[in-house]
């Protein structure tokens, strides 16, 4: 079996999933069908890949560990609906890869994301959310807690707000460390992401919105007004304070207490006035 031939590499953040029950539950979340197009990020030794490919779906996998590529090729040799590619998911051209292989189709994504790049990969998926039908991702439980957190709790942060603008996010189940080899030190969580047809709320200029949200959480101990000043939003003429007032937001609050809708309202107001440094 392929699983016994290659050891996990620490530099790639690899923890191979070896629990058949967990693998089956992930497949149930993905719900692959023969008419589906599926992208797997980091197939590793192919444990999940085999189950997804067995559905008959069009299957593309992107793997960064070059040593695993020939083994994956051998595993799926002769199946013309399977393609294994070498690449860094943070650098690959997702629109080019997916639209050229299935023009006009939405893709399902399955991935066991390395903890050290999970936030970056999430932002990349967000940038191209129109390509996807659904995403089933395994993340460090701490990241999963952040993504599903309500406002005004310690887990709630910029990642929560920015991803919620474009996805419905649901935690499916927790995965204990013993389900992996090598055994990690923390729990993991499987989450489902369903892209929205349009952003959940209108934010005006999304680049400004992202800067606003990140600025509000950059120094969590500061008030919202001071955090935004530190992030480069100019209040020399009182325009930022006025924008907060028009939106009914007390500048003495902290960023972590604002809802997505409040961030969106402030973004729209700032966008109309261009209150920037």
């Amino acid at each position: 079996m392929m699983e016994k031939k290659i050891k996990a590499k620490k530099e790639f953040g690899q923890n191979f999933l070896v629990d058949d029950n967990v693998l089956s539950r992930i497949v149930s979340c993905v719900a692959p069908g023969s008419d589906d197009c599926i992208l797997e990020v980091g197939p590793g030794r192919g444990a999940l890949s085999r189950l997804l490919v067995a559905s008959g779906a069009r299957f593309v996998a992107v793997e960064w560990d070059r040593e695993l590529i020939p083994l994956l090729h051998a595993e799926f040799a002769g199946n013309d609906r399977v393609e294994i590619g070498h690449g860094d998911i943070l650098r690959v051209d997702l629109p080019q890869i997916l639209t050229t292989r299935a023009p006009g189709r939405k893709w399902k994504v399955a991935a066991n994301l390395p903890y050290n790049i999970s936030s970056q990969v999430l932002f990349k998926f967000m940038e191209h959310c129109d390509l996807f039908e659904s995403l089933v991702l395994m993340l460090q439980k701490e990241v999963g807690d952040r993504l599903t957190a309500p406002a005004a709790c310690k887990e709630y942060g910029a990642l929560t707000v920015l991803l919620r603008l474009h996805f419905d996010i649901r935690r499916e189940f927790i995965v204990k460390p013993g389900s992996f080899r090598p055994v990690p030190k923390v729990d993991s969580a499987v989450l489902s992401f369903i892209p929205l047809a349009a952003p959940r709320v209108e934010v005006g200029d999304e680049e400004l919105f992202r800067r606003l949200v990140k600025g509000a959480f950059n120094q969590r101990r500061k008030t919202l007004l001071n955090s935004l000043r530190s992030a480069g939003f100019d209040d020399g003429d009182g325009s930022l304070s006025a924008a907060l007032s028009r939106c009914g937001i007390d500048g003495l609050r902290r960023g972590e207490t604002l809802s997505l809708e409040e961030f969106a309202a402030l973004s729209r107001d700032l966008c109309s006035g261009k209150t920037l440094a």
Side-chain angles (χ1 to χ4, degrees):
M1 293 290 288
M2 185 188 303
E3 285 90 340
K4 296 180 181 179
K5 294 181 180 179
I6 297 291
K7 293 183 178 180
K9 297 179 178 65
K10 187 174 182 180
E11 63 267 29
F12 291 140
Q14 291 173 336
N15 295 92
F16 296 131
L17 184 60
V18 297
D19 187 319
D20 289 340
N21 179 58
V22 173
L23 288 164
S24 295
R25 293 181 72 182
I26 293 173
V27 172
S28 294
C29 294
V30 177
S34 59
D35 292 331
D36 286 332
C37 297
I38 299 177
L39 169 69
E40 185 179 6
V41 178
R45 300 185 296 201
L48 179 60
S49 311
R50 294 186 196 98
L51 300 178
L52 297 173
V53 168
S55 69
R58 176 81 168 88
F59 181 85
V60 173
V62 177
E63 174 56 55
W64 181 227
D65 185 349
R66 201 179 286 275
E67 187 178 5
L68 289 168
I69 299 299
L71 297 178
L72 290 165
H73 281 160
E75 175 80 13
F76 301 109
N79 190 331
D80 60 5
R81 291 181 64 77
V82 175
E83 184 176 354
I84 309 296
H86 172 259
D88 178 352
I89 191 59
L90 295 176
R91 297 182 181 182
V92 299
D93 187 337
L94 281 177
Q96 192 278 331
I97 288 175
L98 303 184
T99 59
T100 57
R101 285 160 177 78
R105 295 292 305 277
K106 300 278 188 178
W107 287 70
K108 292 183 175 181
V109 176
N112 174 14
L113 297 180
Y115 297 157
N116 58 336
I117 63 166
S118 59
S119 295
Q120 296 166 273
V121 177
L122 286 169
F123 281 125
K124 179 154 188 171
F125 286 149
M126 182 180 72
E127 291 285 346
H128 302 292
C129 60
D130 59 315
L131 296 173
F132 306 120
E133 175 185 340
S134 62
L135 304 94
V136 177
L137 309 178
M138 190 184 303
L139 305 155
Q140 186 175 347
K141 180 179 178 294
E142 179 184 346
V143 177
D145 290 343
R146 288 165 59 194
L147 290 169
T148 56
C153 71
K154 66 179 182 178
E155 291 84 7
Y156 184 73
L159 191 68
T160 320
V161 177
L162 297 176
L163 270 292
R164 200 167 288 172
L165 180 64
H166 292 286
F167 295 97
D168 281 332
I169 305 171
R170 181 178 69 244
R171 191 176 81 178
E172 299 290 352
F173 58 94
I174 299 299
V175 183
K176 304 305 288 185
S179 295
F180 300 89
R181 295 294 181 274
V183 178
K185 296 179 179 179
V186 296
D187 290 348
S188 299
V190 173
L191 280 76
S192 291
F193 298 72
I194 305 299
L196 303 175
R200 193 177 301 277
V201 287
E202 174 58 46
V203 300
D205 181 300
E206 190 158 340
E207 183 177 348
L208 187 150
F209 173 75
R210 293 180 189 179
R211 181 182 166 196
L212 170 72
V213 172
K214 290 178 180 179
F217 286 99
N218 191 44
Q219 300 182 62
R220 295 178 73 111
R221 290 177 173 269
K222 286 190 174 183
T223 66
L224 176 64
L225 183 58
N226 286 336
S227 291
L228 293 179
R229 285 170 174 164
S230 296
F233 288 86
D234 187 14
D235 195 38
D237 58 358
S239 53
L240 176 58
S241 298
L244 288 165
S245 179
R246 284 192 297 271
C247 295
I249 300 171
D250 186 345
L252 296 180
R253 290 169 60 184
R254 292 182 177 175
E256 65 199 54
T257 69
L258 270 66
S259 67
L260 168 60
E261 290 73 19
E262 287 177 307
F263 276 117
L266 183 56
S267 177
R268 291 193 302 270
D269 191 290
L270 293 176
C271 184
S272 64
K274 297 297 181 185
T275 311
L276 299 172

